[in-house]
Amino acid sequence: MPDTLGDWLSLLEARHHTAIDLGLDRCREVWQRMGLPVPAERIFVVAGTNGKGSTVATICGLLDGLGYRYGCYTTPHIHSYNERIQVNGRIAGDAEIMQSFEKVEAALGDVSLSYFEFGTLAAFQLLSEQELDFAVMEVGLGGRLDAVNLLDGDCAVITPIGLDHQEYLGDDLESIGREKAGIIRHGKPVVCGQADPPASVLETASSRDAPVQCLGRNFLLEQEGDHSVFCIGGQRITLPLPTLRGEHQLSNAATGLAALLQILPQAIDNPAALSRGLASVELKGRFDRVADRPDVWIDVGHNPLGAGVIARALRKRGAGSGRRIRCVLAMLVDKDAEAVVEVLQPVIHSWYCAGLSGDRGQSGADLGRRVQSVVGNRKLSVFERVEEALSAALRDSSPEDGVLVFGSFHTADEADRMMIESQTGHGAKG
């Protein structure tokens, strides 16, 4: 057996023939040999294109405020693998993750699992040993064929759906929605984080007699001064504003609240506990302002839908109407960089393209050519590393300007580490 968690992760990265290998048969076989460990008595399963991590964090914060024991599983991570598995807000330690890895390994037999599949089963095992009331499990890719979908969720949460991973999920929103809707179970509630989800989501829910609630139709969270008001089923409660930044976080918080109330409807009568829960929500890399003068924001977004959310947030902060925002962009080669840049272009003054390493990485020069095809003669610089691009963007900025770091969890990791070590930044708040 490997001696350290790092050794385990290196082994898992190398030994399966492909990084993404959708399908449940292999994973189910190993899970059965493990004794079918289930993370908790009651389970939320969260799928979607954007906002999954924020919605998971909201549900967990609310459960914490209500005094329940809970755990969560999310992917990917920013700084360390351990971030993926948490119990009552505590990040799992190396030793307990390795023990769960060993139990998966013992059940493998002749089955080969991907890095993600192996880690997902290990998360099932680790959480199953914690005597939890609830588990909040984030789907990695799609839904129908994702390893997390081995679990039968008591509530299916589907956050906003956009174009991403088309090579696996389909080229249009209806196809992608159908894959996401694979997490819906017969008769179990569905909460959608958008007013008009793809028809395929609603059709799947109808075919499985699963009641659906949609943001803006059945529930809503709106800002009123220095607080928010949550409305659902004819009831209104006053709550704090979400701790995560950006108008879109009102929608994510609303989705998390609505999901919680599907399983714990009595919680609506305990606004003090819900308020404590909302106020406790923390999550790295979601439009985090990690420095000021100039403001520096780090966001893990990597698709056009996420870019649109950030563009709206930047407009509210003066971008596009006099305030200069520089974008440090680094993206994986299989992401639609051109579409992302098209969405961000109206609020960005100049571009600082950086490279990412790894099998799916691309050089700053290659990304720069892709960006140039969209922005034309607008100022653009190319760098090998995110740290170099961010340093240059900061040097070029006045105190009244802003810097956006965008494009990938890897990008967020490198930029956040640099800001933590700098004298001017405090690192992404998490």
Side-chain angles (χ1 to χ4, degrees):
M1 293 287 184
D3 294 327
T4 68
L5 180 57
D7 291 341
W8 266 108
L9 297 176
S10 295
L11 172 66
L12 297 179
E13 286 174 343
R15 73 178 180 186
H16 194 64
H17 67 280
T18 182
I20 298 174
D21 194 1
L22 296 177
L24 300 181
D25 291 343
R26 290 172 298 103
C27 225
R28 181 181 289 110
E29 182 178 345
V30 178
W31 187 42
Q32 289 171 340
R33 291 176 189 164
M34 293 170 62
L36 302 173
V38 175
E41 181 180 347
R42 289 174 287 185
I43 299 171
F44 296 88
V45 176
V46 182
T49 305
N50 286 89
K52 296 193 298 291
S54 300
T55 302
V56 168
T58 297
I59 297 172
C60 288
L62 294 168
L63 290 168
D64 188 70
L66 290 163
Y68 289 99
R69 283 187 57 78
Y70 64 93
C72 67
Y73 174 60
T74 59
T75 57
H77 58 272
I78 292 184
H79 292 319
S80 74
Y81 186 92
N82 308 60
E83 297 167 19
R84 298 182 177 214
I85 309 172
Q86 299 188 29
V87 176
N88 280 0
R90 176 186 63 82
I91 294 173
D94 287 10
E96 52 191 334
I97 294 175
M98 291 170 62
Q99 288 170 6
S100 296
F101 279 177
E102 289 170 5
K103 291 178 180 178
V104 179
E105 186 76 9
L108 272 184
D110 60 354
V111 176
S112 177
L113 296 179
S114 70
Y115 177 97
F116 172 78
E117 292 168 331
F118 195 102
T120 299
L121 290 183
F124 289 5
Q125 180 66 44
L126 192 156
L127 294 174
S128 74
E129 298 170 355
Q130 307 302 313
E131 299 182 356
L132 303 175
D133 301 309
F134 291 94
V136 190
M137 309 296 287
E138 179 186 339
V139 166
L141 175 61
R144 182 176 64 92
L145 298 176
D146 185 272
V148 170
N149 200 36
L150 289 171
L151 300 171
D152 290 325
D154 296 278
C155 179
V157 186
I158 300 178
T159 64
I161 294 173
L163 295 175
D164 201 4
H165 298 293
Q166 291 98 308
E167 66 273 33
Y168 299 103
L169 305 179
D171 292 330
D172 57 82
L173 293 179
E174 292 300 331
S175 298
I176 295 172
R178 192 168 293 108
E179 292 298 317
K180 307 287 187 185
I183 68 171
I184 296 172
R185 295 297 187 263
H186 185 83
K188 300 295 185 180
V190 181
V191 174
C192 293
Q194 56 190 140
D196 295 301
S200 55
V201 172
L202 302 178
E203 290 165 1
T204 300
S206 177
S207 71
R208 297 177 186 177
D209 296 321
V212 180
Q213 295 216 326
C214 293
L215 175 72
R217 295 184 182 184
N218 308 107
F219 61 90
L220 187 66
L221 184 71
E222 292 185 303
Q223 180 171 353
E224 292 191 4
D226 61 356
H227 62 273
S228 65
V229 175
F230 180 64
C231 304
I232 188 169
Q235 293 181 278
R236 288 169 52 92
I237 56 173
T238 299
L239 298 167
L241 289 170
T243 56
L244 304 180
R245 293 181 176 88
E247 185 178 350
H248 58 292
Q249 294 298 351
L250 287 165
S251 298
N252 292 331
T255 303
L257 276 159
L260 177 98
L261 292 172
Q262 302 312 300
I263 307 302
L264 296 170
Q266 70 278 11
I268 194 76
D269 299 320
N270 194 350
L274 296 179
S275 294
R276 285 195 303 272
L278 274 184
S280 73
V281 174
E282 297 180 343
L283 190 63
K284 287 178 177 289
R286 273 64 176 186
F287 200 55
D288 276 336
R289 186 167 67 89
V290 299
D292 49 30
R293 298 187 61 80
D295 290 334
V296 178
W297 300 280
I298 295 177
D299 193 87
V300 298
H302 49 266
N303 54 45
L305 184 61
V309 164
I310 298 306
R312 289 190 291 275
L314 289 173
R315 283 192 186 94
K316 287 183 174 293
R317 290 155 178 81
S321 58
R323 189 181 189 189
R324 294 176 298 181
I325 307 294
R326 293 168 172 80
C327 181
V328 174
L329 186 71
M331 301 184 68
L332 298 175
V333 69
D334 53 4
K335 297 301 179 181
D336 193 347
E338 291 85 354
V340 163
V341 172
E342 188 71 44
V343 174
L344 285 174
Q345 182 176 210
V347 297
I348 299 300
H349 170 269
S350 47
W351 300 84
Y352 297 72
C353 297
L356 292 175
S357 59
D359 293 342
R360 297 167 61 206
Q362 63 181 321
S363 69
D366 287 343
L367 177 62
R369 282 188 283 272
R370 298 174 68 180
V371 174
Q372 195 81 62
S373 72
V374 178
V375 304
N377 294 325
R378 189 168 298 189
K379 184 179 177 183
L380 183 149
S381 306
V382 168
F383 304 86
E384 280 304 307
R385 300 180 61 202
V386 171
E387 294 93 328
E388 296 168 356
L390 179 52
S391 294
L394 290 170
R395 284 195 303 271
D396 293 345
S397 297
S398 72
E400 291 73 32
D401 294 339
V403 176
L404 169 68
V405 181
F406 192 81
S408 168
F409 277 79
H410 303 287
T411 311
D413 176 22
E414 294 182 30
D416 190 44
R417 290 181 190 276
M418 172 184 160
M419 296 308 295
I420 289 172
E421 294 170 0
S422 75
Q423 296 299 311
T424 55
H426 44 65
K429 291 182 178 178

